[in-house]
Amino acid sequence: MFDYFQLMNHVDEWIIFDKIQFIDKGWINRNRILHTNPEKDWQFITIPLSKRGQFDYINEISIIQNQKWNETIMGKLTTYRKAPYYRETKDFVYECLFDSTESLTETLEKTLIKTAKHLGIETPTTVQSRQDWQLPAITHPGQWALEISKLKKASKYINLYGGSNIFQQKEFDAAGIELQFLKPKFQPYTQYRKCFIEGLSILDVLMWNDKNSIREMLKNDFSLLNKEQVENE
């Protein structure tokens, strides 16, 4: 999703939060691109995962290596063959997918860093599971970000707009940490469809837009809101 990269471009440090329970049918190992059939909106591209337990952490999960999943994804990208930046984006995706490892975390990390670099984003990344962080007991989901922010001595924590409900303002106030939420301002661009289809992978943005335009979108096409503003919308 493009808003993740807007957020990554805006912050001082990006935490790859992988020592938490994997959620089925989420966005960790799949995303959406335009459907090959122009009468349909979108289709999934998915990284197949090995058998796992119900409560396995993301960093404990492996990718199935004996399936040609990367070739399947490359095949689905032909839906963009008429897009102006198809060839260069296809080559970039190939570089990402065929540099994968058995580890889901490592593959996600590599792909994220390559994509950020491709977009001109220089924000440093930290993988949570590789840190020896001694955090107190977490009693609700919003406390992960709070405790990591306290450990990092951060003055501000920013999350995406859609996740505001899990955070308790009073906890951040007590810690002296400003809490903000990034809300994207989606500007439709040409997709050669009857109407603009939003909420797709960053690949869709790369297929239809030049890099200078994308960098402007990363810097300008969003607003930052506090929790009260989010709740009043």
Side-chain angles (χ1 to χ4, degrees):
M1 302 286 186
F2 188 66
D3 50 356
Y4 279 86
F5 290 96
Q6 288 180 310
L7 180 57
M8 187 178 188
N9 186 59
H10 187 74
V11 300
D12 297 319
E13 183 178 4
W14 183 268
I15 307 295
I16 298 176
F17 194 42
D18 66 331
K19 202 171 181 181
I20 55 169
Q21 183 180 342
F22 177 85
I23 300 175
D24 279 317
K25 297 182 180 180
W27 299 106
I28 301 301
N29 68 315
R30 66 177 187 169
N31 215 314
R32 302 188 300 184
I33 61 172
L34 286 178
H35 202 286
T36 309
N37 182 346
E39 298 301 316
K40 297 182 179 181
D41 290 346
W42 52 264
Q43 61 184 323
F44 280 117
I45 51 174
T46 305
I47 299 176
L49 304 177
S50 299
K51 187 176 180 181
R52 57 196 179 277
Q54 182 181 356
F55 302 106
D56 282 357
Y57 290 161
I58 294 169
N59 68 304
E60 298 172 333
I61 296 175
S62 299
I63 297 172
I64 297 176
Q65 293 296 307
N66 60 357
Q67 292 186 10
K68 297 181 178 180
W69 59 270
N70 38 24
E71 294 181 12
T72 299
I73 291 176
M74 294 302 299
K76 288 185 176 183
L77 291 183
T78 58
T79 189
Y80 291 103
R81 59 188 177 276
K82 294 183 180 179
Y85 303 99
Y86 169 66
R87 185 169 297 279
E88 66 180 72
T89 303
K90 183 186 72 170
D91 291 344
F92 166 68
V93 175
Y94 184 94
E95 178 186 341
C96 290
L97 296 185
F98 287 84
D99 189 31
S100 64
T101 70
E102 184 178 344
S103 164
L104 178 59
T105 285
E106 288 181 9
T107 296
L108 294 175
E109 178 191 14
K110 283 185 176 182
T111 302
L112 177 67
I113 291 174
K114 283 178 181 289
T115 305
K117 184 177 179 181
H118 191 69
L119 295 169
I121 299 173
E122 300 180 352
T123 305
T125 60
T126 300
V127 180
Q128 176 210 8
S129 61
R130 296 183 194 148
Q131 313 307 311
D132 186 25
W133 288 342
Q134 303 300 315
L135 300 176
I138 303 297
T139 60
H140 66 86
Q143 280 189 331
W144 283 107
L146 173 67
E147 294 302 332
I148 292 174
S149 296
K150 288 162 65 175
L151 184 144
K152 301 291 289 186
K153 294 181 169 55
S155 61
K156 181 187 297 184
Y157 174 76
I158 308 175
N159 197 71
L160 292 177
Y161 178 82
S164 63
N165 61 315
I166 69 170
F167 300 101
Q168 296 183 14
Q169 182 69 56
K170 62 182 181 180
E171 292 182 339
F172 283 82
D173 290 343
I177 298 172
E178 185 178 0
L179 178 63
Q180 287 190 323
F181 301 94
L182 183 145
K183 182 180 181 181
K185 301 175 183 177
F186 290 111
Q187 300 295 327
Y189 47 83
T190 301
Q191 292 175 324
Y192 295 172
R193 295 294 173 104
K194 294 178 182 178
C195 59
F196 180 71
I197 301 168
E198 64 179 51
L200 301 181
S201 164
I202 183 65
L203 300 181
D204 190 81
V205 178
L206 287 168
M207 289 288 186
W208 301 107
N209 300 273
D210 66 85
K211 285 189 179 179
N212 286 335
S213 297
I214 293 173
R215 290 189 181 109
E216 287 301 310
M217 294 160 66
L218 285 169
K219 291 189 297 183
N220 300 317
D221 288 358
F222 65 87
S223 57
L224 290 173
L225 308 175
N226 59 38
K227 190 167 175 63
E228 183 179 359
Q229 289 171 318
V230 172
E231 293 172 346
N232 289 336
E233 285 202 342

